[in-house]
Amino acid sequence: MTNSADHSWTHAGHGLPDSEPSLNTTAIATGLQLPAGFAAIAGDAELGPAITNNLAKVEKKLREAIANSDPLADATSRHLVEAGGKRIRPLLTLLCAHLGDASLPAVVQAAVVVELTHLATLYHDDVMDSAPFRRGAPTAHEVWGNSVAVLTGDLIFARASILVSELGGRALGIQARTFERLCLGQLHETVGPRPDEDPVEHYLSVIADKTGSLVAASGQFGAIFSGADEAYEDVLVEYGEKVGVAFQLADDVIDVTGVKVKSGKSPGTDLREGVPTLPVLLLRKAATDGDQSAVDLLKLIDGDLSSDEALAAAVAGLREHPVTAESWVVARQWAKEAIEALAPLPEGVVKESLSNFALAVVDRAS
């Protein structure tokens, strides 16, 4: 397995800067907090410390993987890693690995791969969406410009590709197919639905590609590299697809609830940027079906939202309209189906935690 001192990486610019201090996994583990829905892990005397320690290893290896001897590349690559994040995808890899032998070293490397891939997509998404903030900090393109941000995303994905290539051909195939879906999801979101395509179905397919595919790969990697029963892989793929869609749908609704979320994304950002989300798509359908309140609200949403006052009015109107409650119903149905997909898994903390996570993603106040 290649490490950060390997010269095949260093000559390409990889390597810790001379001033970079060594990271201590024990110190990292002490500061880690598991996201909502994973309380069962923390309460398990054996699983809790194992997951926390491996998460600390992932955090350390993330920083080693994105470190670069070139000062600009190092600064831009660190930008999002150091802004934090819930690390949901690597956590799912580590958790699902406990269906087999979670102590195998490839498990941690696979967890690093999925988080690097996720980080790479965030650089690209923020450019596509002209997003000013990510995780409470200015986005990379706001600091360094679009070109540098896109190239940084490419660089981080290249690092993920190096790591996944060391895990073997099957992992590389899963990663390649996942990245294809990530790109197709972004492409389809950009061009919108075909004239003969239902906008809601189109949107669900977009978020299945953009979010569900990588969540699914995260759980699948955990099963593969822990040597778990092969029958669990399809279960975890189905679960990951569905819980990923539920997660994104919940984010859509949170955007119009008027609550500033912990990521630093202000309410109504999607409305201002014209990003299609489920509440607005359902509102358009309601307007087409003759709902006058939907027609009136759409005039506001489709108007000039550049001022904070206009945006706040649009957010308030959408929050109170029945389509927001309807959107929550759809999100919770996806979470319910994700839980049902787990039926073949053995009873225990892993299954319980996956179920609780699916419930938690659609029960968020922020």
Side-chain angles (χ1 to χ4, degrees):
M1 186 177 295
T2 304
N3 59 45
S4 60
D6 189 289
H7 292 294
S8 66
W9 284 48
T10 305
H11 82 263
H14 183 83
L16 295 173
D18 293 337
S19 60
E20 178 64 22
S22 176
L23 294 169
N24 184 289
T25 54
T26 302
I28 296 172
T30 302
L32 287 176
Q33 288 187 330
L34 296 178
F38 292 104
I41 296 176
D44 187 277
E46 182 177 345
L47 195 62
I51 292 285
T52 302
N53 288 337
N54 271 345
L55 269 177
K57 291 178 183 177
V58 168
E59 202 66 27
K60 182 175 185 291
K61 290 181 180 296
L62 274 175
R63 283 164 168 74
E64 291 174 351
I66 56 88
N68 202 295
S69 56
D70 177 272
L72 176 60
D74 188 68
T76 60
S77 297
R78 287 173 180 274
H79 188 66
L80 276 185
V81 170
E82 295 183 346
K86 297 182 178 68
R87 307 294 191 244
I88 293 295
R89 290 154 190 83
L91 177 54
L92 288 173
T93 300
L94 300 177
L95 175 61
C96 293
H98 282 270
L99 294 168
D101 182 358
S103 68
L104 296 175
V107 169
V108 169
Q109 181 148 328
V112 173
V113 166
V114 296
E115 185 64 9
L116 285 175
T117 304
H118 175 55
L119 288 169
T121 67
L122 296 184
Y123 280 85
H124 293 167
D125 285 354
D126 288 341
V127 171
M128 297 290 292
D129 298 339
S130 300
F133 294 99
R134 169 73 68 177
R135 297 175 177 173
T139 49
H141 70 86
E142 289 285 331
V143 180
W144 292 285
N146 286 351
S147 296
V148 170
V150 169
L151 289 169
T152 300
D154 293 344
L155 178 60
I156 293 174
F157 182 70
R159 292 284 162 80
S161 299
I162 292 171
L163 291 177
V164 79
S165 70
E166 297 168 2
L167 293 173
R170 188 172 181 217
L172 191 57
I174 293 170
Q175 173 79 345
R177 287 188 290 274
T178 300
F179 195 63
E180 178 185 42
R181 289 186 62 190
L182 292 169
C183 293
L184 285 172
Q186 184 64 63
L187 175 65
H188 292 154
E189 179 180 79
T190 301
V191 302
R194 300 184 305 271
D196 62 342
E197 190 175 9
D198 178 77
V200 173
E201 291 302 316
H202 171 268
Y203 181 68
L204 291 173
S205 72
V206 164
I207 61 177
D209 285 341
K210 287 189 61 176
T211 304
S213 63
L214 187 55
V215 176
S218 301
Q220 187 179 15
F221 275 168
I224 290 172
F225 293 107
S226 67
D229 189 324
E230 289 184 8
Y232 298 157
E233 289 183 39
D234 288 343
V235 172
L236 295 173
V237 167
E238 182 179 357
Y239 166 83
E241 289 271 351
K242 292 181 182 299
V243 82
V245 171
F247 188 95
Q248 188 59 54
L249 288 173
D251 269 5
D252 285 356
V253 185
I254 288 170
D255 182 68
V256 298
T257 59
V259 178
K260 186 166 184 175
V261 298
K262 292 178 182 177
S263 66
K265 181 181 178 183
S266 299
T269 298
D270 289 337
L271 292 179
R272 177 172 278 167
E273 298 299 331
V275 178
T277 58
L278 186 61
V280 174
L281 292 173
L282 293 178
L283 188 72
R284 295 192 187 283
K285 184 176 184 300
T288 301
D289 292 342
D291 181 342
Q292 188 58 45
S293 66
V295 172
D296 295 339
L297 183 53
L298 275 176
K299 291 179 182 177
L300 177 60
I301 290 174
D302 291 338
D304 183 3
L305 297 181
S306 58
S307 73
D308 291 342
E309 293 77 13
L311 183 62
V315 168
L318 193 53
R319 181 178 63 239
E320 298 302 322
H321 197 278
V323 294
T324 295
E326 186 180 346
S327 298
W328 276 121
V329 170
V330 175
R332 288 173 180 138
Q333 179 60 33
W334 279 89
K336 178 175 179 290
E337 292 178 10
I339 294 170
E340 290 171 350
L342 296 172
L345 295 186
E347 297 300 323
V349 178
V350 174
K351 185 175 182 177
E352 179 186 356
S353 297
L354 292 173
S355 296
N356 289 342
F357 173 62
L359 293 173
V361 301
V362 293
D363 190 28
R364 291 178 284 161
S366 63

